[in-house]
Amino acid sequence: MTAGISKPPVSPDRLPALRRRIQAVLIATQILGGLGIAIGVALAAVLAKEVSGTEALSGLASTATVAGPALLAMPLASLMARRGRRAGLVLAYLVGALGSAVAVLGATAGSFPLLLAGLVGFGAGSSANLAARFAAADLAEPDRRARAISTVVWATTIGAVLGPNIAAPAGESVSGLGVPAAAGPFVWASGVFVVAAVMVAVLLRPDPLLTARALADPEETAAADGRSLKAGMRAVRASSRARLALVTVAGSHTAMVSIMSMTPVALSHHGAGIRLIGLVISGHIAGMYAFSPVMGWLSDRLGRLTVIGLAVALLVTAAALAGTAGPSHGQTALGLFVLGLGWSAGLVSGSALLTDSVPQAARAAVQGLSDFIMNTSAGLGGLAAGLIVSQAGYGWLNLVGACLLLPMTVLAARGALRRA
């Protein structure tokens, strides 16, 4: 008999307390995971330049970190579909820890290919943070599902803000050990990921996904093949709302990554220094995470489609502001802040709609498919962004970013018409 669906591991009267405890564990590990990623990302490009000896190859560092979660998304989804969230989250954090260690080894040995391989594994650690939002939704009541997702997304703010600020002490901590200072953050990141993995393994009990299956309709969860990746794809094909959710998450993320990744370059072309660029990106990150609870509340109260429409409006406004800013650093900063808000609205509402739209048995597989498409699309978008800016300019990149939202807009409009 499949584990987790024979007998509910918790009685209904204990569910509220279990929801609070599961959410607290996810928030704590989300902070740690966000901290681990932010520490390393702060100096990934610098480390790549030091090891490769050329600035031209430093951009491969960000490509490697984006490739990690895309490569791990489907195997992680398969594992969680069979074994639950705990097994998947632990694996993702441990892969992140191992990748960080390999990156340190590559930097110490002066091997650029080994460094890139490590950065792929390091980036894969962020898969745990992505999957955590769905773990928060597993036991949430349907009318509070978006808020549960958004609260866990919000927790990333703490780690994302703290990470870059402790990169310097992390670098200093390895002085005298034969490890480059720029690799110090990856030493710390490895340790942080291990702590997060241990916390999940020990505290995330009972498993939220297996518990949700146990509490669901037995006919919906009985068939093991209903949890396969192939079954997840069938579930998406059968649901127009699931397709809209996938397009929303992927479109919002790709537009955001494409525009954000080239904004520092555009700012530098107009005379902005490193400190100003850092402030603009910090404001962008605040828009991404700090207001996610607001997006969750709106999504639950006003409906998923309404907030998807808000996401489109915010992202288009952001592209217009940033794309026409020129030498106005203030307008660029405002555009990047609004871009973060639009991403938050799209991620929260799209993730909630995706969970709403597919059967319980197929959710883990479909959610993994969503993360795979999201990260793959963003990786391609990031690569294309550099080509567009070099050939046509930053304004054209923002126009292309806005055009990426057309499929999302059309599907959302169709969904609204069907409900009317």
Side-chain angles (χ1 to χ4, degrees), residues 14 17-30 32 85-87 89-90 139 194-208 211:
R14 290 178 54 212
L18 178 59
R19 289 187 183 109
R20 290 191 295 271
R21 185 165 64 80
I22 292 294
Q23 187 171 69
V25 173
L26 292 172
I27 287 173
T29 55
Q30 192 82 341
L32 288 173
R85 300 292 185 194
R86 188 168 62 250
L89 293 176
V90 168
L139 291 174
V194 169
V195 173
V198 171
M199 286 185 64
V200 170
V202 173
L203 300 178
L204 199 66
R205 297 173 182 272
D207 188 282
T211 302

Side-chain angles (χ1 to χ4, degrees), residues 161 276-291 332-341:
V161 170
L276 178 57
I277 291 172
L279 287 173
V280 172
I281 298 302
S282 294
H284 169 66
I285 292 172
M288 287 174 65
Y289 296 116
F291 295 88
T332 302
L334 178 60
L336 266 286
F337 175 73
V338 176
L339 184 72
L341 290 177

